Amino acid sequence: MIETNSLPVNVESPQAESEVMTELLAAFSNPDLNLDHIVELIACEPALSTEILRRSNSVRFGGKAPATDIFAAISRIGISEAQNALVALRA
């Protein structure tokens, strides 16, 4: 049996995670969209980063070489699909 006190603890609070998600939603809806800012925010969210990379390397979007960073992944799948990943994770 695994002892719970030996497992890593997430030091970020759920509130901090929620604030980043809220800021991302605002950034996605901003008409003057700043892709560099969105990439920085997504990089702060491991679950969202993983989901965006997973989608970008899927059969649907995959290219000759896998996307290995968030900027390349978003460039491949598009802002709309990145926003869909965010909404799916918030549900």
Side-chain angles (χ1 to χ4, degrees):
M1 182 162 79
I2 299 174
E3 293 189 31
T4 57
N5 58 355
S6 66
L7 296 175
V9 177
N10 185 0
V11 294
E12 290 187 33
S13 70
Q15 181 179 7
E17 187 173 308
S18 176
E19 289 173 7
V20 171
M21 294 289 207
T22 302
E23 190 172 345
L24 267 168
L25 283 173
F28 279 128
S29 62
N30 185 344
D32 297 325
L33 187 113
N34 181 341
L35 185 57
D36 291 329
H37 181 63
I38 288 174
V39 168
E40 288 175 15
L41 290 172
I42 290 172
C44 294
E45 289 295 326
L48 183 57
S49 298
T50 301
E51 180 62 19
I52 287 174
L53 285 166
R54 185 189 67 75
R55 289 180 187 213
S56 72
N57 293 318
S58 69
V59 172
R60 179 177 176 197
F61 294 106
K64 290 183 179 183
T68 57
D69 62 71
I70 302 302
F71 187 87
I74 292 176
S75 296
R76 184 175 292 176
I77 67 174
I79 292 295
S80 180
E81 187 66 22
Q83 188 173 11
N84 289 343
L86 171 65
V87 171
L89 285 176
R90 290 193 76 190

